Amino acid sequence: MKEIDKYRSEIDAIDNNIRDLFEKRIAITTEIAEYKKKNKLPVLNSMREREIIARVTKNQPDMLASLTKTLFNTIFDLSKANQTAILGENSETSAEIRRAIAETPTLMPKSAVVACQGTEGSNSQHACEKCFDRPDILYFNSFDGVFNAVENGLCKYGILPIENSLHGSVRSVYDAMITHKFHIVRSVKLKINHFLVAKGGVKLEDIREIYSHEQALSQCSKFLSSLKNVKLVECKNTAIAAKMVSESDRCDIAAISSVECAELYDLAVLKKDIQSNDNNYTRFICISKDLEIYPGANKISLMLTIPHKPGSLYELMSQFSALGVNLTKLESRPIQGRDFEFMFYFEMDASVCSDEIISLISHLECTLDSFSFLGNYSEI
């Protein structure tokens, strides 16, 4: 037998012992969970965990103590996940989720009153038309206007951009999420192609100013850097930029917008597909005031705060890992008026049809100072 095979044989034997001991530990933590359920005790006992870490790392060298601590923290996380599932904590959110599953129709409506930011021809309009066959769109000047329209019942739904594949998150939308009450019922992935448009007869060399949204300007940075003596002017969105050029008396301005906006506002295309990367997509969310969960929903969004202390984020994420949940997005935004406190936005591949996920959501709501279940939805 080769020397390495001998080592591997020894490790296999140790692994089997670890497995057997882990099974015994989980069996005991299951009995503890039943005791906690009967006596209405919480899952987490930080003092007990610290005592165990101190005991098992005593007299170990620093490197080994660090590895041992990591190992036992993982064991704690798995044990807590098991106990959380057994306790089956009920919360207002879990009740709301079950109600939504029972009452949400099989299909989203084909027509609805929908709030969008911007004006006719905007990318939000195109995303809206992917969600609804016959939307009645109301346009608002700001993202806050869209949130307010849905929150106050002026519109049943709202469409908001949250992320671009090139430029990243739309931070102003995430900031607005903190102050509004809403739910996500669907997300839309939209391919974005940018065109440089101007009045008929205007040539590229005539242009001295270009209008567009800040993200569109950023997404076209390579093309824009090739132009000389051209001023860039930010607008609220690309459709408004095209409209401004159309209504202006100037013949030395252009807009970065869509080909649909060029047709809508009678503008000529000076240059097509000017984005720096052809893999340019923007994700939009469709929001509603009430929670709606349609069949096939496979994405979950949460918004929450965690204690401002070392290890808090790791401890939270380990609870998702213990259930095998794939976290696809983590965004943090500072909370205004609070020093070094952040609101965290999580997005994951999961479904509330899983009892384990419902138990985890209930546990988070019961243990965190601030927790919002934003929705369980699918992306088109």
Side-chain angles (χ1 to χ4, degrees):
M1 178 184 291
K2 295 180 181 179
E3 188 174 7
I4 191 170
D5 291 333
K6 176 186 175 184
Y7 292 143
R8 285 172 175 169
S9 178
E10 291 177 357
I11 287 177
D12 288 344
I14 293 171
D15 287 343
N16 290 338
N17 289 333
I18 291 174
R19 178 202 60 201
D20 294 341
L21 291 172
F22 182 69
E23 287 180 0
K24 290 180 180 179
R25 193 183 199 283
I26 287 295
I28 293 173
T29 59
T30 298
E31 293 180 9
I32 291 173
E34 296 292 351
Y35 178 85
K36 288 180 177 180
K37 186 174 184 178
K38 181 179 179 181
N39 293 276
K40 298 181 180 180
L41 298 175
V43 169
L44 180 62
N45 187 337
S46 299
M47 183 179 296
R48 170 65 174 160
E49 291 183 1
R50 288 194 298 271
E51 289 173 351
I52 293 174
I53 294 293
R55 173 170 52 80
V56 297
T57 59
K58 187 177 181 180
N59 298 326
Q60 284 188 322
D62 288 343
M63 175 61 77
L64 184 57
S66 179
L67 296 174
T68 302
K69 180 180 178 181
T70 300
L71 170 63
F72 274 82
N73 278 331
T74 302
I75 292 173
F76 296 156
D77 294 334
L78 295 172
S79 296
K80 284 183 287 190
N82 179 54
Q83 290 191 25
T84 296
I86 293 170
L87 287 173
E89 293 174 287
N90 290 316
S91 65
E92 292 182 6
T93 297
S94 63
E96 185 182 15
I97 288 172
R98 292 187 176 94
R99 177 202 57 76
I101 292 174
E103 297 180 2
T104 302
T106 304
L107 299 173
M108 281 190 69
K110 292 184 177 295
S111 63
V113 180
V114 186
C116 290
Q117 186 269 341
T119 189
E120 193 75 16
S122 65
N123 289 322
S124 290
Q125 176 199 331
H126 301 322
C128 180
E129 290 170 342
K130 285 192 71 173
C131 277
F132 304 95
D133 288 344
R134 303 180 304 276
D136 181 7
I137 302 177
L138 298 183
Y139 291 101
F140 295 85
N141 291 329
S142 66
F143 297 134
D144 271 316
V146 174
F147 278 110
N148 287 327
V150 173
E151 201 169 355
N152 296 324
L154 182 61
C155 296
K156 176 71 172 176
Y157 300 101
I159 299 290
L160 293 158
I162 60 167
E163 182 181 16
N164 178 264
S165 57
L166 302 181
H167 195 62
S169 299
V170 184
R171 293 180 179 178
S172 54
V173 173
Y174 281 100
D175 288 337
M177 285 182 178
I178 297 174
T179 59
H180 293 281
K181 298 293 184 181
F182 67 98
H183 293 95
I184 302 174
V185 298
R186 180 154 291 178
S187 63
V188 180
K189 190 177 181 181
L190 193 67
K191 179 86 162 58
I192 306 294
N193 293 312
H194 290 306
F195 295 74
L196 186 69
V197 299
K199 289 186 174 182
V202 175
K203 298 179 180 179
L204 180 58
E205 56 265 28
D206 299 330
I207 302 303
R208 292 293 172 265
E209 288 187 8
I210 294 177
Y211 301 134
S212 199
H213 186 268
E214 62 172 336
Q215 286 214 355
L217 294 172
S218 175
Q219 292 159 22
C220 301
S221 58
K222 186 175 180 180
F223 167 76
L224 293 174
S225 65
S226 69
L227 304 179
K228 304 299 182 183
N229 301 318
V230 175
K231 180 182 178 181
L232 305 181
V233 181
E234 293 183 4
C235 300
K236 290 185 176 179
N237 63 45
T238 56
I240 289 177
K243 186 177 181 181
M244 289 173 63
V245 171
S246 175
E247 295 175 349
S248 174
D249 294 331
R250 295 174 59 181
C251 293
D252 62 346
I253 60 174
I256 295 176
S257 194
S258 65
V259 67
E260 291 84 1
C261 280
E263 295 173 357
L264 181 64
Y265 295 109
D266 194 26
L267 298 173
V269 175
L270 299 183
K271 194 81 173 176
K272 66 178 182 179
D273 296 331
I274 61 173
Q275 61 272 8
S276 301
N277 190 318
D278 195 49
N279 187 33
N280 186 21
Y281 291 87
T282 296
R283 290 185 63 230
F284 295 79
I285 54 173
C286 178
I287 65 170
S288 67
K289 182 178 181 179
D290 299 322
L291 179 61
E292 298 177 1
I293 301 176
Y294 291 91
N298 58 3
K299 289 183 176 292
I300 289 177
S301 290
L302 308 173
M303 194 162 58
L304 51 88
T305 60
I306 57 177
H308 186 53
K309 64 179 183 179
S312 291
L313 183 57
Y314 166 78
E315 290 176 5
L316 175 65
M317 295 180 69
S318 66
Q319 296 183 59
F320 298 112
S321 177
L323 295 179
V325 174
N326 180 33
L327 293 175
T328 57
K329 186 175 179 64
L330 170 58
E331 183 80 18
S332 64
R333 299 300 301 154
I335 301 174
Q336 292 185 2
R338 301 188 194 177
D339 291 338
F340 301 106
E341 289 193 38
F342 295 85
M343 182 68 74
F344 289 90
Y345 175 93
F346 284 85
E347 190 174 293
M348 65 200 73
D349 294 332
S351 169
V352 292
C353 291
S354 165
D355 290 337
E356 291 180 331
I357 296 297
I358 287 284
S359 294
L360 176 59
I361 290 171
S362 295
H363 174 66
L364 295 177
E365 183 177 15
C366 293
T367 55
L368 296 175
D369 290 338
S370 175
F371 175 85
S372 294
F373 174 80
L374 299 183
N376 189 193
Y377 54 93
S378 59
E379 182 170 282
I380 58 174

